[in-house]
Amino acid sequence: MTHPHNEAPVNPLPPVVVALFLVLAGIELTLWLGTQGLVGGPGAVGWRTGAIETYGFSGVAFDWMLDNGLWPTEHLVRFVSYPFLHASFSHGLFAMVILLAMGKIVTEAMGALTFVLIFFLSTIVGALAFGLLTDDPWLIGAFPPVYGLIGGFTLLLWMRLGVEGAPQIRAFTLIGLLLLVQLVFGVLFGGGNDWVADIAGFVVGFAVALLRAPGGMARVLERIRRR
C-alpha cells in the first residue's frame, strides 16, 4: 500500500483546540518558570498564588455575591478564568493532554462552535454547582470543561453503539473509571469537592452534544418512543 509523500503522519489537531491548548500551556509554563525562580525575579515565586487569588473561582466571593445581591466584574470573571490556572505543572499537564484528545474528537465530529460552547458552558455551570453545593473556598483547573468534553465524547460513543446494536451503557465506561480514580485518590491523599464541578461539566457537555450532534436529539426521541 502506498501513501502520498506529503501526507501527514498524524491527523492535524483542529486550530481552535490548538489555540486553547497554547493559552493554557503558556500560562502554566509562565507560572511554573516563575515558581522555579527562572523568570521574573524573587517576586515571581508568588505568581501562582497571586493569580489564583485574583482569577480562581472563590466560593467565599460567590457566597458574598449571593448574600448581598451584588455581582462585581472582578468576581464574575472568575466564572470563566479559573480553568486557566492549576495547582501545579502536573495538574495542568494532565488536563491539557485530555483536552487535546477529547477536543480533537468533539471538534471533528461536531465543529469548532460546539467545542467552544462545551468548554465555556461546562466551565460556568461547573463553577455554579461548586459554589452552590460545596463550602470549599477555591476551584481551579481545566477539569470541569475537560469533563464537559468527555461528556460530548460519551454522547458520540453512545450514538455509535446504538447504531451498532451494542450495549449503549458501555459509553459511560470512561467517565465511570475517571470518577473511580478520583474517588480513590481522594480517599488516599485527601482532596476537596472539585468532583461536583467535574460532574456538572460532564452533564453540560453531554447535553450540548445531544443538541448539536447530527441526529442526536432525534435518536433519543426515537429510543423513547420504542419504550
Side-chain angles (χ1 to χ4, degrees), residues 32 38 41 68 76 78 80 115 155 174 178 180 184 188 192 196 202 208 213 217:
W32 181 81
L38 299 175
N68 293 278
L76 288 178
R78 297 174 184 272
V80 293
F115 169 80
L155 184 280
L174 177 59
L178 286 173
L180 178 61
V184 171
L188 293 178
V196 172
F202 174 85
V208 171
M217 184 60 74

Side-chain angles (χ1 to χ4, degrees), residues 75-227:
H75 292 323
L76 288 178
V77 73
R78 297 174 184 272
F79 281 91
V80 293
S81 60
Y82 76 85
F84 296 93
L85 301 168
H86 295 86
S88 64
F89 184 84
S90 59
H91 182 217
L93 181 63
F94 187 46
M96 286 184 274
V97 168
I98 302 177
L99 172 77
L100 289 176
M102 294 293 105
K104 175 179 170 61
I105 295 171
V106 169
T107 305
E108 290 180 346
M110 293 180 284
L113 178 59
T114 301
F115 169 80
V116 173
L117 285 173
I118 289 177
F119 186 91
F120 284 103
L121 288 176
S122 297
T123 293
I124 293 169
V125 175
L128 281 171
F130 180 85
L132 291 171
L133 301 178
T134 81
D135 294 322
D136 288 10
W138 294 104
L139 173 65
I140 56 172
F143 281 96
V146 161
Y147 269 74
L149 294 171
I150 293 172
F153 165 77
T154 299
L155 184 280
L156 293 171
L157 183 57
W158 182 84
M159 292 172 60
R160 193 186 78 184
L161 291 172
V163 171
E164 296 174 352
Q168 289 178 288
I169 191 66
R170 284 166 45 192
F172 297 90
T173 301
L174 177 59
I175 184 64
L177 288 174
L178 286 173
L179 290 175
L180 178 61
V181 169
Q182 206 167 25
L183 175 63
V184 171
F185 269 78
V187 171
L188 293 178
F189 305 108
N193 292 307
D194 294 9
W195 60 270
V196 172
D198 297 341
I199 292 177
F202 174 85
V203 172
V204 170
F206 190 93
V208 171
L210 180 62
L211 295 174
R212 297 282 302 176
M217 184 60 74
R219 293 187 186 181
V220 172
L221 293 175
E222 180 183 356
R223 186 176 180 86
I224 292 174
R225 292 191 192 102
R226 288 178 179 177
R227 293 183 177 182

